[in-house]
Amino acid sequence: MKFSLVLPFFVGSVAAYLPQFRNKAASITALSADVAVEEIEEVVPSYPTVNGWTADPNKFCLGLPGATAPLGDFDPLGFTKDLPVQEIKRFREAEVTHGRVAMLATLGYVVGENFHPFFNGEVTGPANTHLAQVQEIAPFFFLWLATSILTAELGRARIGWEEPLDAIEKNKEVEGKTWLSKLNDNYYPGDIGFDPLGLKPQDPEEFAEMQTKELNNGRLAMFAAMGMIVQEQVTGQTLF
C-alpha cells in the first residue's frame, strides 16, 4: 500500500525534470552545430580577384591561364599537385619571368650574331661569348648593365613579394617549399605594372587570352634558348 502511494509521487518528480534535460541536450546540440559551422567557415579561405582571376584550389593550377589544347592541363610530373595557393603562384611567377628572359635571349642570338653596330664592331663570334667580350672591351658599360639588372630585380621583388620577415611569419602555417619568400596576396604573377605601350587588356577574358599567348611563346623560347646555348657550346660556332 505504501509503495502504491509513493510510486506516483516518484514518477511525477522524474517527469518534472525531463523537460530540463531535453532543453539542455537541445542547447548542447545546437551549440555543437554552431561550432561545427564556424569551423567549416574558417577552413574555406577567400582570395582576392586580380586581373579578373580569383584563385580556385579546385581547378587545375588554381584556374590560371596557360592551358592550351591539345595538351590541356599538362603537368605530367605533378609539380602543382597538392600545393598551396602561394606556391602555385610562385611557380607561375618563375615561369612567366623565365619565359620573358628566354624570348629576349632568343631575339638577342638572332640579332647579335648578324649585326654589330655597337663597340665599333669588336663584339663578334658566337653569342655565348658576347657578354664576356663586352666586359673586356667596355667594363664600365658592363658594370652599368649589371647594376641595371640588379635594380630591376629589386624593383620586381618590392612590387610582388612580401618582406622576408613578414614572409617567415606568414609561412609558418603553410605546407610548401617556401620560407623566406611569399608573393603578395593582391599580386598577379608576372604583372609588375610595366606596360609602356598600353597593351594590357582591361577585359578579364582578353587578358587571360593574352597571358596564355605570352606563356606559350615563353615556353617555346625557353626550349629555343636552351638549344642555341648548347649548340654553340658544343660547336663553338655561330648559329646564323
Side-chain angles (χ1 to χ4, degrees):
M1 180 68 179
K2 292 181 180 179
F3 178 76
S4 300
L5 293 173
V6 172
L7 182 59
F9 175 77
F10 177 75
V11 172
S13 300
V14 172
Y17 282 99
L18 283 177
Q20 297 181 10
F21 288 122
R22 289 173 182 169
N23 292 336
K24 289 182 179 178
S27 299
I28 293 173
T29 303
L31 180 61
S32 300
D34 291 339
V35 171
V37 170
E38 290 179 359
E39 289 179 352
I40 293 174
E41 290 178 352
E42 290 177 359
V43 169
V44 180
S46 60
Y47 303 101
T49 299
V50 188
N51 291 333
W53 168 76
T54 305
D56 186 351
N58 297 319
K59 292 183 179 180
F60 175 75
C61 205
L62 306 178
L64 282 165
T68 307
L71 297 178
D73 300 341
F74 185 77
D75 185 17
L77 299 180
F79 285 123
T80 60
K81 185 179 180 180
D82 299 327
L83 285 182
V85 170
Q86 69 177 50
E87 274 291 277
I88 295 179
K89 285 179 63 178
R90 190 170 68 92
F91 277 23
R92 174 50 58 87
E93 173 77 9
E95 181 181 23
V96 173
T97 303
H98 285 86
R100 289 169 178 170
V101 172
M103 285 188 281
L104 289 174
T106 303
L107 182 63
Y109 271 79
V110 175
V111 175
E113 291 189 350
N114 290 282
F115 303 98
H116 315 286
F118 302 108
F119 310 110
N120 298 321
E122 296 181 31
V123 178
T124 59
N128 283 3
T129 65
H130 285 187
L131 198 59
Q133 293 181 55
V134 170
Q135 184 178 10
E136 182 178 351
I137 296 170
F140 289 104
F141 176 82
F142 180 85
L143 178 61
W144 173 84
L145 180 64
T147 304
S148 299
I149 294 173
L150 176 61
T151 302
E153 283 299 298
L154 288 174
R156 184 171 70 93
R158 295 286 297 176
I159 293 171
W161 302 77
E162 298 268 8
E163 295 291 340
L165 294 179
D166 295 335
I168 292 174
E169 185 65 26
K170 294 180 180 180
N171 283 337
K172 287 182 178 179
E173 305 299 328
V174 176
E175 295 182 3
K177 300 182 179 67
T178 57
W179 183 55
L180 282 171
S181 62
K182 178 185 179 300
L183 288 172
N184 291 319
D185 293 333
N186 293 319
Y187 175 72
Y188 187 92
D191 187 6
I192 59 175
F194 181 76
D195 185 24
L197 299 179
L199 299 177
K200 177 183 175 181
Q202 299 302 316
D203 180 72
E205 293 184 3
E206 292 179 1
F207 177 83
E209 182 180 356
M210 178 174 282
Q211 176 82 125
T212 300
K213 292 178 180 179
E214 180 185 23
L215 285 164
N216 287 335
N217 283 287
R219 291 161 181 166
L220 179 61
M222 283 189 277
F223 281 107
M226 284 190 294
M228 292 177 175
I229 293 169
V230 171
Q231 183 172 335
E232 286 202 349
Q233 284 295 109
V234 172
T235 64
Q237 304 295 321
T238 60
L239 297 173
F240 305 100

